[in-house]
Amino acid sequence: MIDFPALSEIVTSTPSKIIMLVADGLGGVPHPDTGCSELETANLPNLDSLARESASGRTVPLVHGVTPGSGPAHLALFGYDPLKHFMGRGVLEALGIDAPLADGDVAARGNFCTLDDDGLLTHRRAGRIPTSESRPLCEMLNTIKVLGVELSVLPVQEYRFVLIMRGDGLSDQLTGTDPQRTEAAPLPVDALSAGATKTADAVNAFIAQAKDLLKKEKKANMVLLRGFSQLPDLPSMGQAYALNPAAIASYPMYRGLARVVGMNVIPTGASFDAELETLAEHYQEHDFFYIHYKPADAAGEDGDFEAKVQALEELDARIPRLLELDPDVLVVAGDHSTPAIMAAHSWHPVPVLIRSTLTRGDGVDAFHERACAAGSLGTFPATNLMLLALAHAGKLTKYGP
Amino acid sequence: MIDFPALSEIVTSTPSKIIMLVADGLGGVPHPDTGCSELETANLPNLDSLARESASGRTVPLVHGVTPGSGPAHLALFGYDPLKHFMGRGVLEALGIDAPLADGDVAARGNFCTLDDDGLLTHRRAGRIPTSESRPLCEMLNTIKVLGVELSVLPVQEYRFVLIMRGDGLSDQLTGTDPQRTEAAPLPVDALSAGATKTADAVNAFIAQAKDLLKKEKKANMVLLRGFSQLPDLPSMGQAYALNPAAIASYPMYRGLARVVGMNVIPTGASFDAELETLAEHYQEHDFFYIHYKPADAAGEDGDFEAKVQALEELDARIPRLLELDPDVLVVAGDHSTPAIMAAHSWHPVPVLIRSTLTRGDGVDAFHERACAAGSLGTFPATNLMLLALAHAGKLTKYGP
């Protein structure tokens, strides 16, 4: 949680409702041919109209210049300092598949891969084998026993799986085995601290058995493990903000993140339309909703400028469905920028708007990077967004006399 | 003090003079009928002209979204982190009446009130009895003795008084007695920590005697106590900034705040005109002046948009009297926003300008929220304002080689 010890004294539960729409990878940078970003290129009548009656600005995901993964970027939006609360890839993957992760468990992200006869990597993702083929391999690996550690191998999607270890005194201070290139051999797991030696030995014993079990498989004869991590100990959003928060996200990792911060994760379908239906159905049950929109980020990561423009336009077309619910506060935010011309996440500040009965527009007439830079919220740390949302919802009382 | 340990190495005493005008509750939000804030509605020829030759921007009083009381908001303007240095209502009230508060003393804000025959509150402010009537009641309560604690009951204004307790091992970790509504009985004082039990007992003993002494009074037959607090241990502004600072404020609480940060509080009259006269008379004696303007906040708290506009225009008409003194640096700031349409303090960033020989305007042609949002100072934490004032006055040297 952000460094504001008196928060518990000023939060107050009220009937007002907040919807926080997080458009993943929302921000971008101008295309060199046109000088316009994805948001500036897209036709966004609903978001532009919203901007004209909102307070707008830009969030800095972590600190200026630092590009976040989706995990830290989301934690920041929820008001947690992502520099204090690190959440590893293994934990995120495990949470995303509803794996029953307990305090102290160590989770790792696993990839099936292929080795040549010399033991060198030929494909780090085993030709992206389909889930139907990786699932039986996971079941096989799940039979592996290592003394003193309880192991689970759970399929995620395609070539990806999660390894979860449970036992006394486990540590996540371990190096990964992925050399990050082909024609190299997988690395052994090393302990990064003295207390992690036992865990490193257990993982290496698991890998040796896995190699043996997989040696006759043609499509995936080895595993790579990385992102060893344990659950961070986070205060719950519900308690910290006196809210009853819910998350609606079709992608596994975002559900996992929401669960770690104590949100009620409502089951939903695979599309944003399904998410919107879920939101409408459950709107009476909670006072805070986080709803996640993925396609803008996916298109940005693919480096597909046009696809990202289209993803933004498709989001825009669905804004009226949020407004129909008439939330007291509507926040449209992004976790980070994913400029298509970079084909990657970036550090750039992300446009944001907050619409409530207290906002009357601040002269900003469009929802994009340049327009929002002139908004009344200014450019501010993403970790402050929850406070602003609560303030606009009348859920924060005065600090100090 | 803000988190800048090397500050003492870069501050330097010079003959240059800084005036910091703090217009209480300066900022606002647009009126729904006009789309213009109080500052945008008011006719402010002098402040607008000043904005054209100043560096301008907006201060964030605490953190985005958090609404401050005047105490923390002023501490921030003076460069103290209000989240680290909490100053309770009792302390602020005591300081405002020049009560001789010592380290370890516990002060509480007191209200005279009225109870019906069943002991339930009928008026939490005793019908706002005038000071002439509350003063003799305070003198009566001042005779109360409680073993092991030295008690003082001092009148403030109308129905308000201060209780000060002196003795060994007192604690301010106490709950208040005001149930915040009529038709309820006053609450007993509870200790919030084990070390506060003795103090809680003493306060409850005082209250029992006070009830007995007041029982025949018609206009005020009981007291309510809240805001139990002790002096925070703050470094002095004079030492921290190598300044000889003075405060000119007609309202008690602001004088008290200034005293806690080590300013010389110059006695002054009850109006802003009187404050301006005091400033001119004592202008040669100090190199930093904090001068406080209250009416904008009062009108905002009353929810009176027009009165706030008028208060701002009245302030504007007096700007030439500040300019006549030709200060090296003139800062026009607000401690927080008090939007009339909210009839309360708010979290919104507050317009600020700094005028010195180093400023030549930054394209901002008016002094209001929207214009200042585009100013060269940007939107920044109020705790940095003193550093900017010192810098513009040539009172900060370079940090590091």
Side-chain angles (χ1 to χ4, degrees):
Chain A
M1 198 58 49
I2 62 157
D3 193 15
F4 191 79
L7 185 61
S8 63
E9 292 165 32
I10 60 167
V11 292
T12 171
S13 183
T14 72
S16 60
K17 284 177 192 283
I18 301 170
I19 297 176
M20 180 183 281
L21 164 63
V22 177
D24 210 296
L26 176 66
V29 300
H31 193 288
D33 294 345
T34 64
C36 289
S37 74
E38 299 91 324
L39 279 167
E40 288 173 318
T41 305
N43 180 30
L44 306 172
N46 293 302
L47 285 165
D48 290 348
S49 159
L50 209 50
R52 284 191 287 273
E53 57 190 47
S54 299
S56 59
R58 298 182 309 167
T59 52
V60 176
L62 294 179
V63 284
H64 274 294
V66 177
T67 297
S70 291
H74 267 76
L75 281 184
L77 290 179
F78 301 148
Y80 297 78
D81 181 348
L83 302 182
K84 258 197 286 190
H85 307 293
F86 186 78
M87 207 175 303
R89 170 63 69 168
V91 162
L92 289 174
E93 292 274 337
L95 291 167
I97 56 166
D98 297 319
L101 208 58
D103 287 343
D105 289 0
V106 171
R109 151 89 178 257
N111 277 14
F112 287 106
C113 62
T114 48
L115 299 185
D116 63 18
D117 293 344
D118 298 329
L120 303 181
L121 277 161
T122 49
H123 203 297
R124 290 171 50 240
R125 295 183 181 86
R128 295 182 186 268
I129 52 168
T131 314
S132 59
E133 294 184 31
S134 63
R135 187 177 299 273
L137 299 181
C138 286
E139 283 164 16
M140 195 158 72
L141 298 186
N142 202 33
T143 64
I144 294 174
K145 306 276 180 223
V146 171
L147 198 68
V149 181
E150 194 182 322
L151 296 169
S152 313
V153 177
L154 304 166
V156 176
Q157 218 172 354
E158 297 179 335
Y159 58 93
R160 286 153 48 199
F161 66 88
V162 172
L163 167 69
I164 298 176
M165 292 176 283
R166 183 167 295 177
D168 287 339
L170 294 181
S171 165
D172 60 3
Q173 297 300 297
L174 304 173
T175 61
T177 74
D178 187 347
Q180 298 283 344
R181 61 183 185 92
T182 53
E183 297 174 41
L187 305 167
V189 170
D190 281 331
L192 290 168
S193 69
T197 312
K198 170 191 160 182
T199 320
D201 291 347
V203 179
N204 285 321
F206 166 81
I207 292 172
Q209 293 189 55
K211 189 174 185 180
D212 198 52
L213 282 172
L214 294 170
K215 68 184 171 199
K216 288 176 198 154
E217 298 293 330
K218 288 206 173 128
K219 290 195 174 168
N221 61 1
M222 186 49 169
V223 294
L224 296 172
L225 296 172
R226 61 194 168 101
F228 292 94
S229 43
Q230 292 172 303
L231 271 180
D233 186 19
L234 296 180
S236 88
M237 271 183 83
Q239 204 159 14
Y241 300 132
L243 286 175
N244 177 14
I248 304 173
S250 59
Y251 271 63
M253 198 180 77
Y254 306 93
R255 288 201 300 273
L257 274 166
R259 202 171 286 119
V260 170
V261 296
M263 285 196 232
N264 178 34
V265 176
I266 307 178
T268 189
S271 68
F272 188 60
D273 283 328
E275 291 184 16
L276 289 168
E277 268 170 52
T278 305
L279 173 62
E281 277 164 28
H282 294 265
Y283 191 65
Q284 295 314 317
E285 298 163 21
H286 295 272
D287 52 11
F288 177 89
F289 296 90
Y290 150 60
I291 180 167
H292 183 250
Y293 182 75
K294 180 71 177 174
D297 178 60
E301 292 248 33
D302 289 344
D304 191 336
F305 196 95
E306 275 314 307
K308 185 166 171 199
V309 167
Q310 197 184 323
L312 294 170
E313 291 180 346
E314 284 168 12
L315 175 63
D316 185 81
R318 283 153 182 87
I319 294 296
R321 293 182 61 184
L322 293 172
L323 295 177
E324 269 167 30
L325 297 169
D326 196 23
D328 298 277
V329 173
L330 173 61
V331 179
V332 180
D335 54 347
H336 53 75
S337 297
T338 308
I341 66 162
M342 296 175 69
H345 292 194
S346 81
W347 62 88
H348 298 88
V350 189
V352 65
L353 63 79
I354 298 177
R355 181 215 189 221
S356 85
T357 53
L358 287 171
T359 62
R360 300 266 180 264
D362 44 19
V364 170
D365 62 358
F367 187 61
H368 56 64
E369 297 81 2
R370 266 179 267 227
C372 289
S376 67
L377 300 176
T379 299
F380 62 96
T383 46
N384 291 174
L385 183 60
M386 274 302 299
L387 296 179
L388 282 167
L390 294 168
H392 280 87
K395 292 180 189 290
L396 286 185
T397 59
K398 194 166 66 171
Y399 171 73
Chain B
M1 197 59 46
I2 63 156
D3 194 14
F4 190 79
L7 185 60
S8 62
E9 292 165 33
I10 61 167
V11 292
T12 172
S13 182
T14 73
S16 61
K17 285 179 191 284
I18 301 171
I19 297 176
M20 181 184 280
L21 164 62
V22 178
D24 210 296
L26 176 66
V29 301
H31 193 288
D33 293 346
T34 63
C36 289
S37 73
E38 298 90 326
L39 280 167
E40 288 173 319
T41 305
N43 180 30
L44 306 172
N46 293 303
L47 285 164
D48 290 350
S49 160
L50 209 50
R52 284 192 287 272
E53 57 191 45
S54 298
S56 60
R58 298 181 311 164
T59 52
V60 176
L62 294 178
V63 285
H64 273 293
V66 176
T67 298
S70 291
H74 267 76
L75 282 185
L77 289 179
F78 300 148
Y80 297 78
D81 181 349
L83 302 182
K84 259 196 285 188
H85 307 292
F86 187 78
M87 207 174 303
R89 170 65 70 173
V91 162
L92 290 175
E93 292 274 336
L95 292 166
I97 57 165
D98 297 320
L101 207 59
D103 287 343
D105 288 0
V106 171
R109 151 88 179 259
N111 277 13
F112 286 105
C113 62
T114 49
L115 300 184
D116 64 17
D117 293 343
D118 298 327
L120 303 181
L121 278 161
T122 49
H123 203 295
R124 289 173 49 239
R125 296 182 180 86
R128 295 182 186 269
I129 53 168
T131 314
S132 59
E133 295 185 32
S134 63
R135 186 176 299 273
L137 299 180
C138 286
E139 284 164 14
M140 193 158 73
L141 298 185
N142 202 32
T143 64
I144 293 175
K145 305 277 178 224
V146 172
L147 198 68
V149 181
E150 194 183 322
L151 297 170
S152 315
V153 177
L154 305 166
V156 175
Q157 215 171 355
E158 297 179 335
Y159 58 93
R160 285 154 48 199
F161 66 89
V162 172
L163 168 69
I164 297 176
M165 292 175 283
R166 184 168 293 176
D168 288 338
L170 294 182
S171 165
D172 60 3
Q173 297 300 297
L174 303 172
T175 61
T177 75
D178 186 347
Q180 298 283 344
R181 63 185 185 90
T182 52
E183 295 172 44
L187 306 167
V189 169
D190 280 331
L192 290 167
S193 67
T197 313
K198 170 191 158 183
T199 320
D201 292 346
V203 180
N204 285 321
F206 165 81
I207 291 171
Q209 292 189 55
K211 190 175 185 179
D212 199 51
L213 282 172
L214 293 170
K215 69 182 170 201
K216 286 177 198 152
E217 299 293 330
K218 287 206 172 129
K219 292 196 171 166
N221 61 1
M222 185 50 167
V223 295
L224 296 173
L225 297 171
R226 61 193 168 102
F228 292 95
S229 42
Q230 291 172 302
L231 271 180
D233 186 19
L234 296 178
S236 89
M237 270 182 85
Q239 203 160 14
Y241 299 131
L243 286 175
N244 177 13
I248 304 173
S250 59
Y251 272 63
M253 198 179 77
Y254 306 94
R255 288 202 299 273
L257 274 166
R259 201 171 286 119
V260 170
V261 296
M263 286 195 232
N264 178 35
V265 175
I266 307 178
T268 189
S271 68
F272 188 60
D273 284 326
E275 291 184 16
L276 288 168
E277 268 170 51
T278 305
L279 173 63
E281 278 164 28
H282 294 264
Y283 191 64
Q284 295 314 317
E285 298 161 22
H286 294 273
D287 52 11
F288 176 89
F289 296 89
Y290 150 62
I291 180 166
H292 183 250
Y293 182 74
K294 180 72 177 173
D297 178 61
E301 292 249 31
D302 288 344
D304 190 335
F305 196 95
E306 276 313 308
K308 184 166 171 199
V309 167
Q310 197 185 322
L312 294 169
E313 291 180 346
E314 284 168 11
L315 175 63
D316 185 80
R318 283 154 183 86
I319 294 298
R321 294 183 59 185
L322 293 172
L323 295 176
E324 270 166 27
L325 297 169
D326 197 24
D328 298 278
V329 174
L330 173 61
V331 179
V332 180
D335 54 347
H336 54 74
S337 297
T338 307
I341 67 162
M342 296 176 69
H345 292 194
S346 81
W347 63 87
H348 298 88
V350 189
V352 65
L353 63 78
I354 298 177
R355 181 221 191 216
S356 83
T357 53
L358 288 171
T359 62
R360 300 269 179 267
D362 45 18
V364 171
D365 61 358
F367 188 61
H368 56 64
E369 297 81 2
R370 266 180 267 229
C372 290
S376 66
L377 300 177
T379 299
F380 62 97
T383 46
N384 291 174
L385 183 61
M386 274 302 299
L387 296 180
L388 282 166
L390 294 168
H392 279 87
K395 291 179 190 291
L396 285 186
T397 59
K398 192 166 66 173
Y399 171 73

